Amino acid sequence: MANAAELRAEVIAILSSEWKRRKGATIPTTESVKLDNDGVELDATVLYADLVDSTDLVNGYKDWFAAEVYKSYLRLACRIIRDNGGDITSFDGDRVMAVYIGESKNSQAAKTALKLNWAVKNILNTEIQKRYTSTTYKVQHVVGIDTSKLFVARTGIRGTNDLVWVGRAANYAAKLCGLRDGSYASIITEDVYNRLEESAKNGGSPRQAMWQKATWQERAMTIYQSSWWWSIG
């Protein structure tokens, strides 16, 4: 068992050690980042996919039903993330975090959000209704996306550790999920929107804007919201 002196010494070592920084060309893994003060710099786009009102789901339905919804939603999210160039970096209960890098990272992340919205509506909710004909429950979700420079470090202790993603995108993408009001399933920052390819901005026939401009009051910044979906063949 560690004593206070040992714990203090570990904190002092972290605070006093110089950081070894390097540019990253790929998504870091726990194997590629050392547990001491070793960090990787990335230009990246972060996506969080999150179930809405999961507390009500857990409190109002059988535990096995809630588990089926969790598993189904996260399975869809993970498959679509990977199919669109994202790297799954962590899970937190009912939500998943993914990171995208490269020239098309913002469009890939935005398309992930739109495709997940389609899958929730046309696969997950459809199959829930088929399987449980008496339930009124419908999955609602939200995806938040931001882009920025990230600093990736490894945290924890030997045998139990993971990567920590430090930077605006990781923080804001998660917080955007909290802006849900039931009308929009996809929310992105202006920095993401301004870097979208045409196909990720406008859809339908005739072409229409898929994203609606809004203000994130807490941060006094422009964001874009969408209720659109992107069909999966």
Side-chain angles (χ1 to χ4, degrees), residues 31-197:
E31 291 76 22
S32 66
V33 182
K34 295 179 181 178
L35 197 51
D36 56 13
N37 284 9
D38 182 33
V40 178
E41 299 172 347
L42 282 179
D43 287 313
T45 295
V46 177
L47 174 150
Y48 267 91
D50 191 8
L51 280 173
V52 172
D53 295 331
S54 58
T55 300
D56 292 341
L57 171 62
V58 170
N59 289 338
Y61 295 84
K62 300 291 186 181
D63 53 4
W64 53 263
F65 178 76
E68 289 180 359
V69 172
Y70 275 42
K71 284 171 63 69
S72 297
Y73 176 71
L74 292 173
R75 180 69 60 85
L76 289 174
C78 290
R79 289 292 300 273
I80 294 169
I81 287 166
R82 285 188 172 173
D83 287 347
N84 288 274
D87 261 70
I88 298 159
T89 55
S90 68
F91 294 91
D92 181 11
D94 60 350
R95 68 181 179 178
V96 58
M97 172 184 169
V99 175
Y100 299 72
I101 60 175
E103 292 298 319
S104 299
K105 57 184 179 289
N106 295 287
S107 294
Q108 288 174 311
K111 290 176 182 179
T112 298
L114 299 176
K115 289 179 180 180
L116 181 55
N117 194 32
W118 182 91
V120 167
K121 294 176 181 294
N122 294 281
I123 297 177
L124 183 50
N125 279 329
T126 297
E127 295 305 319
I128 288 174
Q129 292 300 312
K130 285 181 181 178
R131 179 71 176 84
Y132 304 106
T133 55
S134 62
T135 188
T136 58
Y137 178 79
K138 284 191 175 182
V139 174
Q140 295 185 58
H141 80 122
V142 65
V143 174
I145 304 171
D146 189 24
T147 189
S148 74
K149 292 187 179 298
L150 294 178
F151 185 66
V152 188
R154 190 172 166 191
T155 185
I157 60 176
R158 296 195 182 281
T160 305
N161 54 78
D162 204 351
L163 297 180
V164 59
W165 304 78
V166 182
R168 193 191 82 171
N171 183 265
Y172 279 21
K175 288 186 177 298
L176 288 172
C177 292
L179 303 183
R180 54 201 176 209
D181 64 1
S183 301
Y184 302 99
S186 307
I187 308 174
I188 63 179
T189 60
E190 186 174 31
D191 284 346
V192 173
Y193 179 82
N194 288 341
R195 292 168 173 81
L196 292 182
E197 299 164 357

